[in-house]
Amino acid sequence: MHFLAALGNNPKMRSVLCLFEGVATGAADGWYRMKDKPASTLLHLGPGLANGLANIHNAKRASSGMVNVIGEHSVSHLKYDPPLTSDIEGLARPLSHWVRRAESADTIGWDAAQAAAKASGHPGQIATLILPGDTSWQQADAAPMLPPPVAAHRKAPGAARIEHIARVLRSGEPTLIILANKATRGAALEKAGRVAAATSAKLGSQFFTARIERGAGRVPIARIPYAVAQATAFLKDYRHVITVETKEPVAFFAYPDKPSLLKAEGTLVHALVEEDEDSELAFDMLLQALDATGTTPLVQPRIETPVPKGALNPASIAQALAAALPEHCIVVDESLTTGRESMSLTMGALPHDLINNMGGSIGYATPVATGAALACPDRRVFCMVGDGSAMYTIQSLWTQARENLNVTTIIFANNSYAILKAEYANMGAGEPGERALSMIDIDKPRIDWLAMAKSMGVPGIAVETAESFHKAMVDSTREPGPCLIEVRL
Amino acid sequence: MHFLAALGNNPKMRSVLCLFEGVATGAADGWYRMKDKPASTLLHLGPGLANGLANIHNAKRASSGMVNVIGEHSVSHLKYDPPLTSDIEGLARPLSHWVRRAESADTIGWDAAQAAAKASGHPGQIATLILPGDTSWQQADAAPMLPPPVAAHRKAPGAARIEHIARVLRSGEPTLIILANKATRGAALEKAGRVAAATSAKLGSQFFTARIERGAGRVPIARIPYAVAQATAFLKDYRHVITVETKEPVAFFAYPDKPSLLKAEGTLVHALVEEDEDSELAFDMLLQALDATGTTPLVQPRIETPVPKGALNPASIAQALAAALPEHCIVVDESLTTGRESMSLTMGALPHDLINNMGGSIGYATPVATGAALACPDRRVFCMVGDGSAMYTIQSLWTQARENLNVTTIIFANNSYAILKAEYANMGAGEPGERALSMIDIDKPRIDWLAMAKSMGVPGIAVETAESFHKAMVDSTREPGPCLIEVRL
């Protein structure tokens, strides 16, 4: 309450209300993805933290920095074990890089500065600061704070490693450079493109990437497919895999009789950039070692996609997207089965950013889209989300309406956890019986998405053809504020 | 997936689909409250568990038993640290009594039986069983299982303690017996009533109780108020407090300049029944020690409450409830500010069960009502919930529609976290400024509750007067299935 009161006195801090903690933590992730700077959440004791943990997991896996402030009982009260008491450190540690319990009003300023420094380093970290009530309401010492801690900078890769990678590239053997995190955008991506142009190496990404700058004019990156069979086929001819801020590709799940590691037997894996290192600097060093600083990268040409007509299916949906996406929009993708294999059709769209779920916990897209829209008020955000996933954190719509955020939420309504049907088959569990299917289908009752949008103040429209889907997306960009498109499949 | 497939082969196991894990864990709590037997949840890796933790916290504080089965990567896959990997044991332990990782298909049967035994003991426990994928898909040994473990029984209180309590009661000094958990219903409550009738002791409950059998014909229990000033006033004249399956009363939160312990200075606290002991047996022993086995308890007379008319306020809302509640209905109360101080007006209603939130994490009522309705298909459940709380786990409505559950959800729509306004004042943070208020009010946009209900297949009605509220409640009992009443405040 004192923290809330203090917000009123600090115009430099913007506060946004969310109706569920998972929306707040996901929005902080979305903010970081676009700003490369952490946001802070304010959560209520252990259970409030618990409600935010799934999207903290996703943010941690995306290397997004975040400061979670957890309100806690005052020290004098804790020993009586009142109802809301729990082991907050215990709940926070598995998904935090740094956890501290503030001990007095005198030191809380320094604690908060350290939390912000931890979250702001490279890679971003999850910093959790537990704030007991009495720490808020006690009088603070007026003594000046120690110099605030400094965030960790990106490290330089070693020269020997650069020399080794240059030798691999000069060999001319088939090589895939897998880019991730900060290497899939900006100057790092452009320089990776020069390395590819100067050698015969290909550029690739994991199936999920924190944020990719893609579309016309950007250096294109090929995406390793999700399914194990397609992924191993994609990778089988590479003699070398070079990793940049990531590890070698692994399957999302294990399956009976399928491999966990996706590379071919005999493929050699070389780390070029570790996750705490500087990709742009590494590519600069590599270009020098290759004597290729003047190389021009290949960039993606613009592909004018005609507006598709007729039935909605993964291809026509991707074509409608390619035709509709405005320049510099942001696409947050949690479409799972609907969008999974067809996003390559949007490679030649106008330049845009693509954001994926790095932690695999569903319910990430609507909060992350909310945070991305807060971070970039002049850019339209398209949030592609399956109906099952959307129901996890649907409260995001309310914050989007409240803040008049430019988010177009696209619900792929197949009335089913379609991904589970695919995984069911993958797992070798046979054909799902009636009862198993009843745990996978969500068509009874069918969710009324227009009513859902209306309930939280978001205008909605349902589409049943590719051309009406395209039109709805274009229309959504004409007015500020959120809207929801139900894509009936 | 193999677990799901197996459900189809086991007609003794009923499976219910929820759209969010917090609904599943809260429903398991509601099931236990009515059945005194645990339900099981099936959750997906660490983040799926995390989404269920807040209502696991509430269930743990209610001594509700529950078996949480957490799907996990197969052993061979974990070492590659795929996206959904997290420290599941770390997340589970702070809110579980028992955690085990199943190690093979040969032992999983015994592990599951032990989880069920732990959850089924007295008091109920949170048992968390982590189920790696390969444990599901490997062939199991056909050898017969060891005898399954046995759940812990209620213990008998010691004779010396009974003798001590009998001396206190015979002293005639002002005494309050605080009943909790299994002591607020059935034979234990009836026998507590005899003890009170045979002595001058009063019967009381904490402000929150897992489940109370109350209304006409039941032994009445006075409720210790929520607010510190009222609670200390309630308790100040008692020389003795005797606790039954609970501890001495403490404030929900600490406040500057207010006490944490609510009893008067000099009041003596005596434990009659510890949380793992048998209240009914304790009261039997106490009645013998008091030579009062033949005493008749005082019971609550029926009070016919006339249907209130006009404005909706806490008193008219409680009167409408008192007039409308049908015999043997179940009331799940998370009304916070609206219902907090007026529930005593329903003491003389037809006999019913009242369920409260024991852990203080909001978003408990709609899931618990769902589970209570699954447990008691022949009883109507009234779920009283504030608008802010309802938005935490609103996905419950969908499961209620899917299973055609007899739940009347009553949304107290004051468009605000009204409890935070009260706590703001209590905390001495002064008058909330414009920005602090904007973090407490949820009226921009106003949630359209009828659209929300419709979106998940639940019929809804809005009421603005006490008489229409009463009529809507009565109407809701005429047809099976769920409905939602928006009480516009």
Side-chain angles (χ1 to χ4, degrees), chain A residues 7 13 61 77 81 251 260 391 395 402 435 438 445 448 455, chain B residues 7 13 61 77 81 251 260 391 395 398 402 435 438 448 455:
Chain A
L7 281 177
M13 204 148 172
R61 288 276 165 169
H77 198 55
D81 195 34
S260 288
M391 283 305 292
Q395 302 92 335
R402 180 181 181 84
R435 271 189 85 190
S438 79
D448 181 337
S455 74
Chain B
L7 281 177
M13 204 150 172
R61 289 275 165 170
H77 198 55
D81 196 34
S260 287
M391 283 304 291
Q395 302 92 335
W398 184 85
R402 179 181 182 82
R435 273 190 83 191
S438 78
D448 181 337
S455 74

PDB file of all heavy atoms in Angstrom, chain A residues 7 13 61 77 81 251 260 391 395 402 435 438 445 448 455, chain B residues 7 13 61 77 81 251 260 391 395 398 402 435 438 448 455:
ATOM      1  N   LEU A   7       3.863   5.581  -5.729  1.00  0.00           N
ATOM      2  CA  LEU A   7       3.746   5.726  -7.182  1.00  0.00           C
ATOM      3  C   LEU A   7       3.192   7.090  -7.561  1.00  0.00           C
ATOM      4  O   LEU A   7       3.563   7.676  -8.576  1.00  0.00           O
ATOM      5  CB  LEU A   7       2.804   4.652  -7.757  1.00  0.00           C
ATOM      6  CG  LEU A   7       3.358   3.251  -7.947  1.00  0.00           C
ATOM      7  CD1 LEU A   7       2.255   2.343  -8.454  1.00  0.00           C
ATOM      8  CD2 LEU A   7       4.534   3.247  -8.901  1.00  0.00           C
ATOM      9  N   MET A  13       7.733   6.819 -12.993  1.00  0.00           N
ATOM     10  CA  MET A  13       7.361   5.404 -12.972  1.00  0.00           C
ATOM     11  C   MET A  13       5.939   5.280 -13.500  1.00  0.00           C
ATOM     12  O   MET A  13       5.010   5.881 -12.956  1.00  0.00           O
ATOM     13  CB  MET A  13       7.444   4.883 -11.537  1.00  0.00           C
ATOM     14  CG  MET A  13       7.636   3.409 -11.460  1.00  0.00           C
ATOM     15  SD  MET A  13       8.612   2.986  -9.998  1.00  0.00           S
ATOM     16  CE  MET A  13       8.473   1.208 -10.058  1.00  0.00           C
ATOM     17  N   ARG A  61      13.528 -18.166 -19.909  1.00  0.00           N
ATOM     18  CA  ARG A  61      14.020 -18.925 -21.062  1.00  0.00           C
ATOM     19  C   ARG A  61      14.277 -18.008 -22.259  1.00  0.00           C
ATOM     20  O   ARG A  61      14.986 -18.381 -23.188  1.00  0.00           O
ATOM     21  CB  ARG A  61      12.990 -19.988 -21.435  1.00  0.00           C
ATOM     22  CG  ARG A  61      12.947 -21.120 -20.422  1.00  0.00           C
ATOM     23  CD  ARG A  61      14.023 -22.123 -20.753  1.00  0.00           C
ATOM     24  NE  ARG A  61      14.283 -23.034 -19.661  1.00  0.00           N
ATOM     25  CZ  ARG A  61      15.033 -24.135 -19.801  1.00  0.00           C
ATOM     26  NH1 ARG A  61      15.582 -24.443 -20.965  1.00  0.00           N
ATOM     27  NH2 ARG A  61      15.257 -24.906 -18.779  1.00  0.00           N
ATOM     28  N   HIS A  77       4.928  -9.924  12.118  1.00  0.00           N
ATOM     29  CA  HIS A  77       3.681 -10.671  11.944  1.00  0.00           C
ATOM     30  C   HIS A  77       3.920 -12.098  11.457  1.00  0.00           C
ATOM     31  O   HIS A  77       3.107 -12.993  11.709  1.00  0.00           O
ATOM     32  CB  HIS A  77       2.803  -9.918  10.931  1.00  0.00           C
ATOM     33  CG  HIS A  77       1.350 -10.302  10.960  1.00  0.00           C
ATOM     34  ND1 HIS A  77       0.584 -10.257  12.097  1.00  0.00           N
ATOM     35  CD2 HIS A  77       0.520 -10.750   9.977  1.00  0.00           C
ATOM     36  CE1 HIS A  77      -0.654 -10.638  11.817  1.00  0.00           C
ATOM     37  NE2 HIS A  77      -0.714 -10.952  10.536  1.00  0.00           N
ATOM     38  N   ASP A  81       2.239 -16.997  11.513  1.00  0.00           N
ATOM     39  CA  ASP A  81       1.819 -17.864  10.427  1.00  0.00           C
ATOM     40  C   ASP A  81       0.397 -17.541   9.944  1.00  0.00           C
ATOM     41  O   ASP A  81      -0.452 -18.427   9.841  1.00  0.00           O
ATOM     42  CB  ASP A  81       1.901 -19.337  10.897  1.00  0.00           C
ATOM     43  CG  ASP A  81       1.830 -20.309   9.736  1.00  0.00           C
ATOM     44  OD1 ASP A  81       2.343 -19.982   8.653  1.00  0.00           O
ATOM     45  OD2 ASP A  81       1.247 -21.399   9.910  1.00  0.00           O
ATOM     46  N   ALA A 251      14.967 -31.661 -29.342  1.00  0.00           N
ATOM     47  CA  ALA A 251      13.513 -31.806 -29.511  1.00  0.00           C
ATOM     48  C   ALA A 251      12.796 -31.143 -28.338  1.00  0.00           C
ATOM     49  O   ALA A 251      13.315 -31.101 -27.220  1.00  0.00           O
ATOM     50  CB  ALA A 251      13.142 -33.279 -29.584  1.00  0.00           C
ATOM     51  N   SER A 260      16.517 -37.268 -29.012  1.00  0.00           N
ATOM     52  CA  SER A 260      16.394 -35.959 -28.350  1.00  0.00           C
ATOM     53  C   SER A 260      17.218 -34.911 -29.077  1.00  0.00           C
ATOM     54  O   SER A 260      16.801 -33.764 -29.228  1.00  0.00           O
ATOM     55  CB  SER A 260      16.870 -36.050 -26.894  1.00  0.00           C
ATOM     56  OG  SER A 260      15.949 -36.757 -26.098  1.00  0.00           O
ATOM     57  N   MET A 391      -7.097 -18.949 -23.462  1.00  0.00           N
ATOM     58  CA  MET A 391      -7.911 -19.004 -22.239  1.00  0.00           C
ATOM     59  C   MET A 391      -7.072 -19.023 -20.962  1.00  0.00           C
ATOM     60  O   MET A 391      -7.600 -18.869 -19.864  1.00  0.00           O
ATOM     61  CB  MET A 391      -8.846 -20.211 -22.280  1.00  0.00           C
ATOM     62  CG  MET A 391     -10.060 -20.019 -23.179  1.00  0.00           C
ATOM     63  SD  MET A 391     -11.054 -18.553 -22.779  1.00  0.00           S
ATOM     64  CE  MET A 391     -11.739 -19.033 -21.183  1.00  0.00           C
ATOM     65  N   GLN A 395      -7.382 -12.500 -19.393  1.00  0.00           N
ATOM     66  CA  GLN A 395      -7.552 -11.214 -18.707  1.00  0.00           C
ATOM     67  C   GLN A 395      -6.703 -10.110 -19.348  1.00  0.00           C
ATOM     68  O   GLN A 395      -6.932  -8.925 -19.099  1.00  0.00           O
ATOM     69  CB  GLN A 395      -7.166 -11.346 -17.230  1.00  0.00           C
ATOM     70  CG  GLN A 395      -7.948 -12.387 -16.432  1.00  0.00           C
ATOM     71  CD  GLN A 395      -7.273 -13.748 -16.410  1.00  0.00           C
ATOM     72  OE1 GLN A 395      -6.496 -14.091 -17.305  1.00  0.00           O
ATOM     73  NE2 GLN A 395      -7.563 -14.546 -15.394  1.00  0.00           N
ATOM     74  N   ARG A 402      -8.079  -1.063 -21.369  1.00  0.00           N
ATOM     75  CA  ARG A 402      -7.846   0.020 -20.404  1.00  0.00           C
ATOM     76  C   ARG A 402      -6.780   0.991 -20.887  1.00  0.00           C
ATOM     77  O   ARG A 402      -6.910   2.195 -20.769  1.00  0.00           O
ATOM     78  CB  ARG A 402      -7.396  -0.615 -19.097  1.00  0.00           C
ATOM     79  CG  ARG A 402      -7.110   0.347 -17.973  1.00  0.00           C
ATOM     80  CD  ARG A 402      -6.659  -0.489 -16.781  1.00  0.00           C
ATOM     81  NE  ARG A 402      -6.375   0.295 -15.608  1.00  0.00           N
ATOM     82  CZ  ARG A 402      -7.277   0.703 -14.738  1.00  0.00           C
ATOM     83  NH1 ARG A 402      -8.541   0.422 -14.945  1.00  0.00           N
ATOM     84  NH2 ARG A 402      -6.937   1.401 -13.671  1.00  0.00           N
ATOM     85  N   ARG A 435     -12.913 -40.937 -24.369  1.00  0.00           N
ATOM     86  CA  ARG A 435     -12.627 -40.181 -23.132  1.00  0.00           C
ATOM     87  C   ARG A 435     -11.380 -39.332 -23.273  1.00  0.00           C
ATOM     88  O   ARG A 435     -11.341 -38.199 -22.797  1.00  0.00           O
ATOM     89  CB  ARG A 435     -12.484 -41.127 -21.947  1.00  0.00           C
ATOM     90  CG  ARG A 435     -13.820 -41.381 -21.282  1.00  0.00           C
ATOM     91  CD  ARG A 435     -13.652 -42.133 -19.999  1.00  0.00           C
ATOM     92  NE  ARG A 435     -13.364 -41.280 -18.869  1.00  0.00           N
ATOM     93  CZ  ARG A 435     -12.982 -41.757 -17.691  1.00  0.00           C
ATOM     94  NH1 ARG A 435     -12.796 -43.058 -17.512  1.00  0.00           N
ATOM     95  NH2 ARG A 435     -12.745 -40.928 -16.690  1.00  0.00           N
ATOM     96  N   SER A 438     -12.246 -36.340 -25.185  1.00  0.00           N
ATOM     97  CA  SER A 438     -13.050 -35.365 -24.438  1.00  0.00           C
ATOM     98  C   SER A 438     -12.171 -34.496 -23.552  1.00  0.00           C
ATOM     99  O   SER A 438     -12.589 -33.432 -23.102  1.00  0.00           O
ATOM    100  CB  SER A 438     -14.114 -36.082 -23.603  1.00  0.00           C
ATOM    101  OG  SER A 438     -13.528 -36.618 -22.428  1.00  0.00           O
ATOM    102  N   PRO A 445     -18.744 -26.378 -23.864  1.00  0.00           N
ATOM    103  CA  PRO A 445     -19.367 -25.516 -24.872  1.00  0.00           C
ATOM    104  C   PRO A 445     -18.305 -24.842 -25.747  1.00  0.00           C
ATOM    105  O   PRO A 445     -17.148 -24.738 -25.348  1.00  0.00           O
ATOM    106  CB  PRO A 445     -20.095 -24.481 -24.019  1.00  0.00           C
ATOM    107  CG  PRO A 445     -19.253 -24.365 -22.793  1.00  0.00           C
ATOM    108  CD  PRO A 445     -18.705 -25.740 -22.546  1.00  0.00           C
ATOM    109  N   ASP A 448     -17.567 -18.415 -26.971  1.00  0.00           N
ATOM    110  CA  ASP A 448     -18.069 -17.304 -27.794  1.00  0.00           C
ATOM    111  C   ASP A 448     -17.056 -16.166 -27.688  1.00  0.00           C
ATOM    112  O   ASP A 448     -17.063 -15.376 -26.735  1.00  0.00           O
ATOM    113  CB  ASP A 448     -19.445 -16.886 -27.272  1.00  0.00           C
ATOM    114  CG  ASP A 448     -20.055 -15.751 -28.088  1.00  0.00           C
ATOM    115  OD1 ASP A 448     -19.297 -15.002 -28.756  1.00  0.00           O
ATOM    116  OD2 ASP A 448     -21.286 -15.593 -28.036  1.00  0.00           O
ATOM    117  N   SER A 455     -16.858  -8.572 -23.239  1.00  0.00           N
ATOM    118  CA  SER A 455     -16.922  -8.529 -21.770  1.00  0.00           C
ATOM    119  C   SER A 455     -15.802  -7.680 -21.193  1.00  0.00           C
ATOM    120  O   SER A 455     -15.940  -7.131 -20.108  1.00  0.00           O
ATOM    121  CB  SER A 455     -16.872  -9.949 -21.203  1.00  0.00           C
ATOM    122  OG  SER A 455     -15.557 -10.493 -21.302  1.00  0.00           O
TER     123      SER A 455
ATOM    124  N   LEU B   7      -7.046 -43.384 -19.004  1.00  0.00           N
ATOM    125  CA  LEU B   7      -8.333 -42.970 -18.441  1.00  0.00           C
ATOM    126  C   LEU B   7      -9.482 -43.672 -19.158  1.00  0.00           C
ATOM    127  O   LEU B   7     -10.496 -44.008 -18.549  1.00  0.00           O
ATOM    128  CB  LEU B   7      -8.529 -41.454 -18.593  1.00  0.00           C
ATOM    129  CG  LEU B   7      -7.817 -40.542 -17.610  1.00  0.00           C
ATOM    130  CD1 LEU B   7      -8.091 -39.093 -17.980  1.00  0.00           C
ATOM    131  CD2 LEU B   7      -8.280 -40.822 -16.188  1.00  0.00           C
ATOM    132  N   MET B  13     -12.504 -43.984 -12.735  1.00  0.00           N
ATOM    133  CA  MET B  13     -11.878 -42.675 -12.605  1.00  0.00           C
ATOM    134  C   MET B  13     -12.634 -41.686 -13.479  1.00  0.00           C
ATOM    135  O   MET B  13     -12.762 -41.879 -14.687  1.00  0.00           O
ATOM    136  CB  MET B  13     -10.424 -42.772 -13.043  1.00  0.00           C
ATOM    137  CG  MET B  13      -9.564 -41.715 -12.449  1.00  0.00           C
ATOM    138  SD  MET B  13      -7.877 -42.335 -12.254  1.00  0.00           S
ATOM    139  CE  MET B  13      -7.075 -40.808 -11.764  1.00  0.00           C
ATOM    140  N   ARG B  61      -3.900 -24.717   3.357  1.00  0.00           N
ATOM    141  CA  ARG B  61      -4.327 -23.992   4.561  1.00  0.00           C
ATOM    142  C   ARG B  61      -5.694 -24.474   5.052  1.00  0.00           C
ATOM    143  O   ARG B  61      -6.060 -24.224   6.201  1.00  0.00           O
ATOM    144  CB  ARG B  61      -4.371 -22.491   4.252  1.00  0.00           C
ATOM    145  CG  ARG B  61      -2.981 -21.898   4.091  1.00  0.00           C
ATOM    146  CD  ARG B  61      -2.445 -21.529   5.447  1.00  0.00           C
ATOM    147  NE  ARG B  61      -1.017 -21.282   5.441  1.00  0.00           N
ATOM    148  CZ  ARG B  61      -0.367 -20.750   6.479  1.00  0.00           C
ATOM    149  NH1 ARG B  61      -1.016 -20.409   7.576  1.00  0.00           N
ATOM    150  NH2 ARG B  61       0.919 -20.576   6.424  1.00  0.00           N
ATOM    151  N   HIS B  77      15.652 -37.273 -21.670  1.00  0.00           N
ATOM    152  CA  HIS B  77      15.540 -35.980 -22.367  1.00  0.00           C
ATOM    153  C   HIS B  77      15.939 -34.807 -21.475  1.00  0.00           C
ATOM    154  O   HIS B  77      16.365 -33.758 -21.961  1.00  0.00           O
ATOM    155  CB  HIS B  77      14.091 -35.814 -22.834  1.00  0.00           C
ATOM    156  CG  HIS B  77      13.898 -34.781 -23.905  1.00  0.00           C
ATOM    157  ND1 HIS B  77      14.584 -34.803 -25.098  1.00  0.00           N
ATOM    158  CD2 HIS B  77      13.086 -33.705 -23.979  1.00  0.00           C
ATOM    159  CE1 HIS B  77      14.195 -33.777 -25.862  1.00  0.00           C
ATOM    160  NE2 HIS B  77      13.294 -33.094 -25.194  1.00  0.00           N
ATOM    161  N   ASP B  81      17.995 -30.072 -21.292  1.00  0.00           N
ATOM    162  CA  ASP B  81      17.423 -28.796 -20.836  1.00  0.00           C
ATOM    163  C   ASP B  81      16.461 -28.194 -21.873  1.00  0.00           C
ATOM    164  O   ASP B  81      16.596 -27.021 -22.229  1.00  0.00           O
ATOM    165  CB  ASP B  81      18.566 -27.816 -20.532  1.00  0.00           C
ATOM    166  CG  ASP B  81      18.097 -26.626 -19.707  1.00  0.00           C
ATOM    167  OD1 ASP B  81      17.201 -26.803 -18.871  1.00  0.00           O
ATOM    168  OD2 ASP B  81      18.622 -25.514 -19.928  1.00  0.00           O
ATOM    169  N   ALA B 251      -4.359 -11.599  13.430  1.00  0.00           N
ATOM    170  CA  ALA B 251      -4.831 -10.702  12.376  1.00  0.00           C
ATOM    171  C   ALA B 251      -4.410 -11.246  11.014  1.00  0.00           C
ATOM    172  O   ALA B 251      -3.372 -11.894  10.882  1.00  0.00           O
ATOM    173  CB  ALA B 251      -4.264  -9.304  12.585  1.00  0.00           C
ATOM    174  N   SER B 260      -0.839  -8.016  16.349  1.00  0.00           N
ATOM    175  CA  SER B 260      -0.984  -9.211  15.516  1.00  0.00           C
ATOM    176  C   SER B 260      -1.877 -10.237  16.197  1.00  0.00           C
ATOM    177  O   SER B 260      -2.692 -10.888  15.556  1.00  0.00           O
ATOM    178  CB  SER B 260       0.378  -9.844  15.240  1.00  0.00           C
ATOM    179  OG  SER B 260       1.117  -9.061  14.330  1.00  0.00           O
ATOM    180  N   MET B 391     -12.158 -12.508 -11.518  1.00  0.00           N
ATOM    181  CA  MET B 391     -11.363 -12.429 -12.747  1.00  0.00           C
ATOM    182  C   MET B 391     -10.074 -13.252 -12.669  1.00  0.00           C
ATOM    183  O   MET B 391      -9.394 -13.438 -13.665  1.00  0.00           O
ATOM    184  CB  MET B 391     -11.055 -10.973 -13.100  1.00  0.00           C
ATOM    185  CG  MET B 391     -12.225 -10.229 -13.721  1.00  0.00           C
ATOM    186  SD  MET B 391     -12.911 -11.030 -15.211  1.00  0.00           S
ATOM    187  CE  MET B 391     -11.565 -10.791 -16.374  1.00  0.00           C
ATOM    188  N   GLN B 395     -12.188 -18.829 -15.784  1.00  0.00           N
ATOM    189  CA  GLN B 395     -12.318 -19.997 -16.672  1.00  0.00           C
ATOM    190  C   GLN B 395     -13.162 -21.103 -16.030  1.00  0.00           C
ATOM    191  O   GLN B 395     -13.621 -22.015 -16.727  1.00  0.00           O
ATOM    192  CB  GLN B 395     -10.942 -20.552 -17.021  1.00  0.00           C
ATOM    193  CG  GLN B 395      -9.982 -19.575 -17.700  1.00  0.00           C
ATOM    194  CD  GLN B 395      -9.080 -18.832 -16.721  1.00  0.00           C
ATOM    195  OE1 GLN B 395      -9.416 -18.668 -15.542  1.00  0.00           O
ATOM    196  NE2 GLN B 395      -7.947 -18.355 -17.196  1.00  0.00           N
ATOM    197  N   TRP B 398     -16.551 -22.111 -17.628  1.00  0.00           N
ATOM    198  CA  TRP B 398     -16.600 -23.019 -18.772  1.00  0.00           C
ATOM    199  C   TRP B 398     -16.779 -24.474 -18.301  1.00  0.00           C
ATOM    200  O   TRP B 398     -17.581 -25.221 -18.847  1.00  0.00           O
ATOM    201  CB  TRP B 398     -15.321 -22.856 -19.603  1.00  0.00           C
ATOM    202  CG  TRP B 398     -15.311 -23.675 -20.855  1.00  0.00           C
ATOM    203  CD1 TRP B 398     -15.848 -23.338 -22.061  1.00  0.00           C
ATOM    204  CD2 TRP B 398     -14.739 -24.978 -21.027  1.00  0.00           C
ATOM    205  NE1 TRP B 398     -15.641 -24.349 -22.970  1.00  0.00           N
ATOM    206  CE2 TRP B 398     -14.955 -25.368 -22.363  1.00  0.00           C
ATOM    207  CE3 TRP B 398     -14.050 -25.845 -20.180  1.00  0.00           C
ATOM    208  CZ2 TRP B 398     -14.528 -26.591 -22.879  1.00  0.00           C
ATOM    209  CZ3 TRP B 398     -13.613 -27.073 -20.689  1.00  0.00           C
ATOM    210  CH2 TRP B 398     -13.858 -27.428 -22.023  1.00  0.00           C
ATOM    211  N   ARG B 402     -19.784 -26.985 -19.106  1.00  0.00           N
ATOM    212  CA  ARG B 402     -19.485 -28.276 -19.724  1.00  0.00           C
ATOM    213  C   ARG B 402     -20.073 -29.438 -18.945  1.00  0.00           C
ATOM    214  O   ARG B 402     -20.619 -30.379 -19.509  1.00  0.00           O
ATOM    215  CB  ARG B 402     -17.965 -28.425 -19.787  1.00  0.00           C
ATOM    216  CG  ARG B 402     -17.442 -29.704 -20.371  1.00  0.00           C
ATOM    217  CD  ARG B 402     -15.919 -29.647 -20.320  1.00  0.00           C
ATOM    218  NE  ARG B 402     -15.272 -30.789 -20.895  1.00  0.00           N
ATOM    219  CZ  ARG B 402     -15.049 -30.956 -22.202  1.00  0.00           C
ATOM    220  NH1 ARG B 402     -15.463 -30.049 -23.042  1.00  0.00           N
ATOM    221  NH2 ARG B 402     -14.427 -32.024 -22.651  1.00  0.00           N
ATOM    222  N   ARG B 435      -3.399   8.331  -8.742  1.00  0.00           N
ATOM    223  CA  ARG B 435      -2.706   7.186  -9.348  1.00  0.00           C
ATOM    224  C   ARG B 435      -2.900   5.918  -8.540  1.00  0.00           C
ATOM    225  O   ARG B 435      -3.081   4.841  -9.103  1.00  0.00           O
ATOM    226  CB  ARG B 435      -1.209   7.477  -9.495  1.00  0.00           C
ATOM    227  CG  ARG B 435      -0.914   8.177 -10.798  1.00  0.00           C
ATOM    228  CD  ARG B 435       0.563   8.253 -11.045  1.00  0.00           C
ATOM    229  NE  ARG B 435       1.122   7.059 -11.629  1.00  0.00           N
ATOM    230  CZ  ARG B 435       2.439   6.855 -11.724  1.00  0.00           C
ATOM    231  NH1 ARG B 435       3.284   7.747 -11.241  1.00  0.00           N
ATOM    232  NH2 ARG B 435       2.894   5.764 -12.288  1.00  0.00           N
ATOM    233  N   SER B 438      -6.214   4.593  -9.282  1.00  0.00           N
ATOM    234  CA  SER B 438      -6.315   3.987 -10.612  1.00  0.00           C
ATOM    235  C   SER B 438      -5.787   2.560 -10.600  1.00  0.00           C
ATOM    236  O   SER B 438      -6.073   1.773 -11.501  1.00  0.00           O
ATOM    237  CB  SER B 438      -5.563   4.820 -11.647  1.00  0.00           C
ATOM    238  OG  SER B 438      -4.172   4.577 -11.554  1.00  0.00           O
ATOM    239  N   ASP B 448     -18.225  -6.494 -18.560  1.00  0.00           N
ATOM    240  CA  ASP B 448     -19.592  -6.858 -18.929  1.00  0.00           C
ATOM    241  C   ASP B 448     -19.801  -8.314 -18.522  1.00  0.00           C
ATOM    242  O   ASP B 448     -19.423  -9.257 -19.232  1.00  0.00           O
ATOM    243  CB  ASP B 448     -19.764  -6.666 -20.446  1.00  0.00           C
ATOM    244  CG  ASP B 448     -21.168  -6.987 -20.918  1.00  0.00           C
ATOM    245  OD1 ASP B 448     -21.883  -7.753 -20.218  1.00  0.00           O
ATOM    246  OD2 ASP B 448     -21.556  -6.489 -21.994  1.00  0.00           O
ATOM    247  N   SER B 455     -19.970 -15.929 -22.950  1.00  0.00           N
ATOM    248  CA  SER B 455     -18.816 -16.398 -23.715  1.00  0.00           C
ATOM    249  C   SER B 455     -18.452 -17.832 -23.347  1.00  0.00           C
ATOM    250  O   SER B 455     -17.874 -18.551 -24.150  1.00  0.00           O
ATOM    251  CB  SER B 455     -17.612 -15.475 -23.486  1.00  0.00           C
ATOM    252  OG  SER B 455     -17.049 -15.680 -22.202  1.00  0.00           O
TER     253      SER B 455
END
